[in-house]
Amino acid sequence: DTGFIVLAAVLAKVLAGQTLASSFFELLDADGLGDARLRWGPLDGVPVAPTGHDPWRSRELTGEIHDWHAWILGEDALHAGLFATIDGVQACIDWWCRQSDDPSVQPFLDVPDTGRPLCWDRPGPGPSQGGNLVPGNAVGHLGFTGTSAWFVPDQERSIVMLTNRTVVSQERNAFHTIRPAIHDLAWPRLAGKSA
């Protein structure tokens, strides 16, 4: 998170008063994703599930950024705090798949010497939250509250889970067993299919 928090601070200076959120949505509109249901903060007219009790704010959270750093930073958090419907997440994944051959997008999808591309995760040696059957060329992202998205860019195969582990407990142990098991049920069904 720290790298993207610092990047957000740099971009805030470059954008000269324009928020990251407004710049992000201008880019989405330019790429035809303006209708993708993505926002910092709750989506208008879309019911939002509670995400659990936050000890910092001493209340149950519903429609608020759960990540503490993102909450403090407001809408200029670059690492967390995006709200979306499953269709909105899928639209973004579809965009990444369509753009995967673009040289400006490849650093976000290719694995450098450090083992992780920019802003995505990759399955490594050993257990992965993408499951035991996750393709080696998949990229993914895990949200603190239990969400996950994994996709294989060149095959347009994807799995999106909008789940909620924090409403019961912020302990990760049980959920870290359940999430890969669900992915393992899905990967074989996606073999050879489009997203």
Side-chain angles (χ1 to χ4, degrees):
D1 290 353
T2 305
F4 279 86
I5 291 171
V6 172
L7 177 59
V10 171
L11 287 174
K13 296 288 186 190
V14 171
L15 294 170
Q18 189 176 13
T19 67
L20 288 176
S22 62
S23 298
F24 175 75
F25 295 119
E26 283 179 18
L27 288 172
L28 285 182
D29 289 340
D31 280 320
L33 289 174
D35 291 334
R37 306 285 286 176
L38 302 157
R39 293 289 176 265
W40 267 272
L43 302 164
D44 293 336
V46 176
V48 178
T51 55
H53 184 268
D54 179 18
W56 277 30
R57 289 170 260 188
S58 301
R59 66 177 184 274
E60 295 291 318
L61 301 183
T62 301
E64 293 182 70
I65 295 169
H66 202 112
D67 181 273
W68 294 332
H69 296 117
W71 173 63
I72 291 167
L73 294 167
E75 72 172 10
D76 278 345
L78 196 56
H79 71 288
L82 195 63
F83 283 69
T85 63
I86 197 161
D87 292 336
V89 176
Q90 189 63 56
C92 276
I93 289 173
D94 292 345
W95 181 90
W96 282 99
C97 290
R98 286 192 309 272
Q99 304 297 324
S100 63
D101 292 332
D102 184 322
S104 65
V105 171
Q106 287 175 348
F108 292 89
L109 301 175
D110 293 339
V111 181
D113 293 338
T114 59
R116 288 184 71 170
L118 294 171
C119 81
W120 294 104
D121 197 2
R122 281 270 194 186
S128 168
Q129 285 294 293
N132 295 318
L133 303 177
V134 62
N137 57 339
V139 292
H141 179 75
L142 305 175
F144 172 77
T145 57
T147 59
S148 114
W150 284 88
F151 64 101
V152 183
D154 60 344
Q155 298 173 16
E156 297 185 1
R157 293 191 294 154
S158 61
I159 299 172
V160 176
M161 288 176 48
L162 299 184
T163 55
N164 189 338
R165 72 170 180 84
T166 54
V167 75
V168 175
S169 169
Q170 292 188 18
E171 294 299 320
R172 299 176 184 209
N173 297 339
F175 197 77
H176 278 197
T177 302
I178 294 167
R179 184 162 42 196
I182 293 171
H183 286 128
D184 281 343
L185 290 171
W187 285 118
R189 288 168 174 78
L190 292 173
K193 295 181 181 178
S194 294

